[in-house]
Amino acid sequence: VANARDTGGLQPMIAVGLLAAILVSVAASYFVSFRTIVMPQHAPSRLSVVAEQTMEELGFGELPRHSASGYDVNLKLAGSLWTAPQSADQLRQSVWPPGFRYWRRWSGSGFMPSDNHFPEQLMIDGPVDDPGGTATVAVDSTGNLIALSVAPALVESAPETAVEVDWSPIFALARLERSRATPITPESTPPVFCDTLVGWRIDADGDEVDPVTVLMGAVGGRPVYFEHVGLNDGMQPDHDAFKSEFAYVDAAWTLFSLVMIVLAVRNLRAGRVDHRNAFRCALLIGGLYAIMEVVTIATGGSDPRRQVIGLFNDRAAGHFLIHAIDVWIYYLAIEPYVRRVWPRMLIGLVRVFSGRLRDPLVGRDVLIGLATGCMFVMILVLVSTAERRLTAGGTAHLAHYWSLRIIMSPGHYFSNLAHDIAWAVGSGVWGAGVVVLIRVLVRHAIGSAVLSIAAIAFLEFGVYSTFIDDSSWAAYAFAVGMGVCLIWLYSRVGVLSAMVFFFVMRSMSLFGLDFDAWSTPYLVSWLAILLALAGYGFRVALAGQPLFADMLEEPRGAA
């Protein structure tokens, strides 16, 4: 593989066609998405100030110095879960229930990852080092209060005599009319201590909106708790239910990893492995995950001392080390078989590891992988939009919660970018392992291709279904389409092109951001990355060939 004489490169017209496909796909995806996706009205930076002002008006001027924030989406209003079709303007003008929830949380200590595999994503009720010293406030996208929770450690000691609670600040901040409120008996216990707890039923102005129920709690006469009953149920996905529903993915990964370990040990004993490039691949993965961890720790509002030592704690170190070891094992396991079955598959990746970034074959792989990914996203956007129109009667929908969490701040964005690249490289290697393993076991070319598509679709459905808010058939079609594209890239182009394809798929939720919204800098940055990759692949793949022949050049043999 290292000494292969495949020069790669593309004919000028093919390169121009691929570049045009990228540009048209991105433009079409954006044109369709931005007309149908509804973004929150205000930027996180603006609502962060609103959250601070809300706490001050409630008497909490001294807040812990560390804070974290996030945007959640009301899943009951998103995707195909609508009860009635709505236009983009209707979703923007809808007052209740809120489509988005911005939350900010303060803590005297550090914030811990809500999910060990995605440490850059925090949740409103995620773990912290000191649960008793936190305060959380949540507002809708226009700044109206929808939730409040203050831990006992941040509340002054209660007076010995009973104090009448003034609930008017809560009513004012939540934009609730006291005249429409009817006292009710609370039927649930708040998650924080309250010496006074009351419930209210708020009747709406008109019959088109159902009454809402709210709970309010106080300590020593100061409000410390507020909740819209039932609103939290649809504001964030049920990750535990998702993990249990797709437990088969974990089982399949475990079995696949055991097979890879056996093959890697066998190849090591036989002395037929590429140690150098296996180490380089592991170093790349480990380095990217380490960068993600460093940026995450700095962004998560932790104590500065935690930022220094955070990279070396058990969770962070274990996270990037386990991914590096995984990809090292996979590379050792599949590389000898790749050389035997599809020797051209690894050429582009090996040349990248060797520093040959101006190699025409590298440019070809990048350009083809990028074009395939962008065209597939365009098809997915068009199919999803058509399905919403047919099933729900409308195409508008709320922005995906994943894309909102990515653009909470520059730190969130760059941390997720490092994660996307690492994910793409690792996925490219394991995907090659699946394809090669099936090809070795199944000698028939067509049969192995069909089984490989089925295996990749089986795994990708569980991984990417969280990014799709459409029906099950659309998710299955997406997974099968992923399998077809990847089999073609692996067998006809190379593993490097599959990695680029995975990168586009991983970050496809950014395609629908709006140029006219506060998300513009993130959209411009994402488009700049795509265009830079396209320009690099196009230029390098041409290998110095002129785009157009000299039309005035005299033909050979002329007198």
Side-chain angles (χ1 to χ4, degrees):
V1 172
N3 297 322
R5 296 183 178 180
D6 192 339
T7 58
L10 294 170
Q11 294 296 324
M13 288 301 98
I14 296 178
V16 170
L18 291 173
L19 182 62
I22 294 172
L23 298 178
V24 171
S25 300
V26 172
S29 300
Y30 169 75
F31 182 78
V32 174
S33 297
F34 94 95
R35 291 174 175 269
T36 60
I37 295 179
V38 177
M39 294 287 292
Q41 184 174 347
H42 295 305
S45 57
R46 179 172 179 177
L47 294 181
S48 176
V49 177
V50 173
E52 291 182 352
Q53 294 173 345
T54 298
M55 297 300 290
E56 290 178 1
E57 292 186 32
L58 293 175
F60 297 99
E62 295 293 333
L63 292 171
R65 57 175 179 168
H66 307 301
S67 69
S69 59
Y71 246 131
D72 293 326
V73 179
N74 192 333
L75 300 180
K76 293 182 178 180
L77 298 178
S80 58
L81 302 179
W82 297 333
T83 56
Q86 300 184 61
S87 66
D89 290 337
Q90 288 175 322
L91 282 176
R92 293 188 183 98
Q93 297 170 4
S94 177
V95 177
W96 191 264
F100 303 99
R101 174 179 68 182
Y102 171 86
W103 57 268
R104 188 173 180 188
R105 195 178 187 191
W106 290 267
S107 174
S109 57
F111 294 87
M112 302 170 63
S114 300
D115 188 319
N116 286 335
H117 198 72
F118 299 96
E120 72 274 27
Q121 307 296 341
L122 300 178
M123 297 177 65
I124 187 173
D125 54 356
V128 293
D129 288 339
D130 182 18
T134 62
T136 306
V137 63
V139 298
D140 61 20
S141 60
T142 62
N144 297 329
L145 178 67
I146 56 177
L148 171 71
S149 178
V150 181
L154 301 181
V155 184
E156 298 177 359
S157 58
E160 296 180 359
T161 58
V163 178
E164 184 177 355
V165 183
D166 181 11
W167 302 112
S168 57
I170 297 289
F171 277 95
L173 291 169
R175 302 290 177 88
L176 298 175
E177 295 187 34
R178 185 71 175 265
S179 60
R180 298 182 180 274
T182 302
I184 60 174
T185 302
E187 297 181 355
S188 60
T189 302
V192 294
F193 171 76
C194 299
D195 58 21
T196 303
L197 182 65
V198 297
W200 308 85
R201 189 190 68 184
I202 312 296
D203 295 323
D205 183 10
D207 298 332
E208 67 278 2
V209 180
D210 296 330
V212 298
T213 301
V214 297
L215 299 180
M216 301 182 189
V219 173
R222 175 182 294 184
V224 297
Y225 176 70
F226 174 64
E227 176 191 3
H228 281 275
V229 176
L231 180 60
N232 188 60
D233 296 339
M235 276 296 179
Q236 55 189 14
D238 189 346
H239 292 286
D240 293 333
F242 170 77
K243 291 178 180 179
S244 60
E245 182 179 356
F246 296 103
Y248 67 86
V249 176
D250 293 334
W253 275 115
T254 302
L255 178 61
F256 176 73
S257 297
L258 291 175
V259 174
M260 290 294 103
I261 292 174
V262 172
L263 292 179
V265 172
R266 179 182 178 183
N267 293 333
L268 283 170
R269 289 180 174 178
R272 55 187 181 187
V273 296
D274 182 3
H275 289 283
R276 176 180 298 179
N277 287 309
F279 175 76
R280 288 171 175 172
C281 193
L283 185 63
L284 175 62
I285 290 287
L288 286 169
Y289 274 104
I291 292 173
M292 181 202 69
E293 289 286 352
V294 171
V295 178
T296 297
I297 293 169
T299 304
S302 300
D303 188 276
R305 292 171 296 179
R306 289 174 55 85
Q307 298 179 21
V308 175
I309 66 175
L311 185 60
F312 304 100
N313 64 29
D314 295 339
R315 193 209 59 79
H319 188 201
F320 68 79
L321 284 176
I322 193 63
H323 282 290
I325 294 172
D326 277 347
V327 79
W328 177 73
I329 292 174
Y330 294 165
Y331 197 99
L332 293 178
I334 69 172
E335 192 270 340
Y337 298 98
V338 170
R339 281 190 277 119
R340 188 177 71 184
V341 180
W342 284 303
R344 297 181 58 193
M345 183 185 292
L346 288 174
I347 294 177
L349 183 62
V350 169
R351 291 183 181 180
V352 169
F353 288 153
S354 301
R356 299 167 59 179
L357 299 181
R358 298 186 63 83
D359 191 294
L361 189 139
V362 173
R364 182 205 68 177
D365 286 8
V366 170
L367 192 62
I368 293 177
L370 189 62
T372 305
C374 290
M375 287 189 292
F376 186 71
V377 169
M378 178 187 67
I379 294 173
L380 177 65
V381 170
L382 294 176
V383 170
S384 299
T385 302
E387 189 215 9
R388 289 191 181 97
R389 183 176 295 278
L390 292 174
T391 58
T395 58
H397 61 103
L398 301 178
H400 199 280
Y401 76 94
W402 189 268
S403 61
L404 292 180
R405 292 182 178 185
I406 293 173
I407 59 176
M408 286 303 301
S409 69
H412 286 85
Y413 178 79
F414 288 111
S415 175
N416 191 82
L417 180 61
H419 199 172
D420 287 347
I421 300 173
W423 184 286
V425 175
S427 298
V429 175
W430 75 252
V434 172
V435 173
V436 172
L437 181 62
I438 293 177
R439 183 66 179 87
V440 171
L441 296 176
V442 181
R443 301 294 182 177
H444 193 270
I446 297 178
S448 65
V450 173
L451 286 177
S452 297
I453 292 173
I456 292 177
F458 174 80
L459 295 173
E460 292 301 332
F461 177 77
V463 173
Y464 281 93
S465 58
T466 54
F467 297 92
I468 302 177
D469 294 327
D470 303 315
S471 62
S472 297
W473 75 262
Y476 284 118
F478 169 74
V480 172
M482 284 275 293
V484 172
C485 290
L486 286 170
I487 292 303
W488 179 76
L489 290 173
Y490 280 124
S491 60
R492 298 299 180 184
V493 188
V495 67
L496 179 60
S497 64
M499 291 177 177
V500 176
F501 178 85
F502 272 115
F503 174 71
V504 176
M505 292 296 100
R506 167 73 180 175
S507 51
M508 65 181 177
S509 59
L510 294 175
F511 273 87
L513 298 182
D514 192 350
F515 268 120
D516 296 329
W518 50 268
S519 58
T520 298
Y522 301 101
L523 174 60
V524 171
S525 174
W526 165 236
L527 291 178
I529 292 173
L530 282 185
L531 295 178
L533 280 174
Y536 161 79
F538 178 76
R539 181 179 178 85
V540 175
L542 285 177
Q545 301 177 78
L547 282 179
F548 305 100
D550 189 352
M551 299 180 61
L552 300 179
E553 182 180 358
E554 186 175 358
R556 294 182 180 180

